[in-house]
Amino acid sequence: MSRNRAASTRNRNYSVRMRASKQGLHISGAEGIYDRNDVTRIVQAYTERALLHEKGRADEINMIIEELKEKPRRISSLPLCTLNTRNPDHVKKSAIKILTSAGITERAVEEAFRSLNIGITMRGAMLMDIEGVRLEPDLLRGVRVTRMGITRVAAATLSKKLGRLDLNNFAVKEALILASKAHKHPMLLGELCISDDPSYTTGYVVTRKYGYIRLPRIKKRGIPYGGRAFFITGGEVKDLVKYLQKTPVLVNKIRPCRGTISLNGLFERKSRR
Ligand code: WAQ
Ligand code: MG
């Protein structure tokens, strides 16, 4: 092999994406960006996950393994904390306070909660302007954030930090990676997310200033739908969608992961800085 060829085959990154369904209904998904040498191991791990999911064993598993032509952009994760929210009502009030502090209107946040609670689960995220007007090109499907991952070293650091908080699970790690990619885009002001897993009752909101804020008891146990809303401002939606869907991004640095705090604690901590 010539030296050039050797160099070009080294460190090739692959996007590996998995989607599992049962009788046509979505059960689980996972994705990451991996070194070529890790791809087979990951395909096996994803397959096992799809076959073991709490929503039932998949009868169809789709896997995409795609060599990335572009070098992934390296980013740091959003800082993480958990709010001491008690019930869905308390969550909503807190989410409104946090998101309106970033310039999003209360009406838009109300509209996002309403849309995420009507029982239709979209595959991707809604895009809303600060007034709550929907801007995504496909209103049924939404926009999927894809082609993101985390380096091995950062993944180990993240697992350690989350482990101390007893939070070292796929749901937290994958949501944090997704949100960290999305919120690197200058058009994003905030996000609201509710899991579609019936037993996963913790959601989150994001703002640039406060980072990734987990919201326990955002929904009652047993509710099988959820969704995501990105609040956006100024700029070309087309370019944003392209970034969210196509630009490969790797988290390679982990910002602080904090335990449970109150809303006042969140606001005070920042204003003291
Ligand atoms: N891009 C955009 N939207 C997505 C994507 C994606 N890649 N994947 C899922 N969604 C949308 C879709 O509407 C889902 O129904 C909804 O988000 C929720 O997805 O720190 O598990 O994968 O403990 O169910 C939050 C973790 C977990 C909170 C969120 O989301 C924490 C979760 P799920
Ligand atoms: Mg889910």
Side-chain angles (χ1 to χ4, degrees):
M1 203 188 278
S2 78
R3 270 178 66 194
N4 271 345
R5 179 109 176 276
S8 71
T9 53
R10 212 182 298 142
N11 291 330
R12 273 278 183 231
N13 285 306
Y14 286 74
S15 162
V16 183
R17 310 196 284 281
M18 179 277 283
R19 221 151 50 81
S21 60
K22 184 181 177 181
Q23 290 163 348
L25 289 177
H26 172 80
I27 305 181
S28 74
E31 78 162 278
I33 293 175
Y34 300 99
D35 189 85
R36 200 231 292 277
N37 300 325
D38 294 329
V39 169
T40 17
R41 186 176 55 81
I42 292 302
V43 166
Q44 179 171 5
Y46 281 180
T47 309
E48 280 166 11
R49 256 176 85 172
L51 292 174
L52 291 173
H53 201 272
E54 62 151 328
K55 278 191 180 176
R57 175 144 45 90
D59 58 20
E60 192 175 312
I61 304 168
N62 281 292
M63 201 89 71
I64 295 175
I65 303 158
E66 171 199 67
E67 185 186 300
L68 294 174
K69 307 294 180 210
E70 226 178 301
K71 201 170 170 218
R73 197 178 142 192
R74 313 270 157 155
I75 63 164
S76 54
S77 63
L78 291 162
L80 172 148
C81 69
T82 301
L83 223 54
N84 61 350
T85 41
R86 297 179 298 268
N87 53 51
D89 240 30
H90 186 205
V91 165
K92 193 170 168 184
K93 286 193 182 116
S94 309
I96 288 174
K97 287 202 178 120
I98 295 165
L99 291 168
T100 55
S101 80
I104 300 152
T105 64
E106 183 166 343
R107 202 168 93 208
V109 183
E110 293 271 3
E111 181 56 24
F113 270 99
R114 205 188 55 79
S115 302
L116 298 186
N117 277 306
I118 51 180
I120 300 165
T121 297
M122 295 161 61
R123 282 206 45 221
M126 303 187 283
L127 301 181
M128 276 188 178
D129 72 9
I130 59 168
E131 306 288 344
V133 176
R134 300 271 295 271
L135 297 175
E136 69 273 18
D138 183 337
L139 292 169
L140 290 177
R141 182 176 183 275
V143 179
R144 298 274 304 170
V145 187
T146 70
R147 296 176 177 80
M148 63 272 180
I150 184 166
T151 63
R152 245 181 212 254
V153 174
T157 307
L158 181 60
S159 291
K160 200 163 92 194
K161 290 191 180 184
L162 291 176
R164 288 188 200 124
L165 304 168
D166 211 11
L167 291 177
N168 188 23
N169 61 64
F170 287 128
V172 179
K173 284 191 278 194
E174 286 171 2
L176 180 65
I177 294 166
L178 188 158
S180 297
K181 173 181 174 180
H183 291 272
K184 279 287 173 272
H185 196 282
M187 283 173 70
L188 278 239
L189 285 180
E191 177 181 356
L192 169 67
C193 171
I194 305 176
S195 173
D196 55 31
D197 289 14
S199 65
Y200 206 90
T201 58
T202 302
Y204 69 85
V205 289
V206 176
T207 69
R208 203 167 293 280
K209 181 167 175 189
Y210 296 110
Y212 178 101
I213 304 166
R214 305 179 61 251
L215 302 169
R217 292 170 281 276
I218 198 168
K219 71 173 187 184
K220 291 212 184 83
R221 191 168 285 275
I223 294 177
Y225 49 81
R228 278 187 164 86
F230 291 130
F231 299 97
I232 67 172
T233 185
E236 283 289 337
V237 172
K238 194 162 50 56
D239 296 339
L240 171 63
V241 171
K242 190 169 162 219
Y243 169 78
L244 294 174
Q245 292 179 338
K246 299 274 152 85
T247 305
V249 166
L250 260 178
V251 171
N252 74 338
K253 184 165 180 284
I254 305 301
R255 308 262 300 279
C257 298
R258 296 202 191 91
T260 302
I261 56 172
S262 68
L263 192 60
N264 283 340
L266 179 78
F267 286 147
E268 270 163 24
R269 189 191 319 249
K270 282 290 168 174
S271 60
R272 264 193 267 119
R273 276 198 186 151

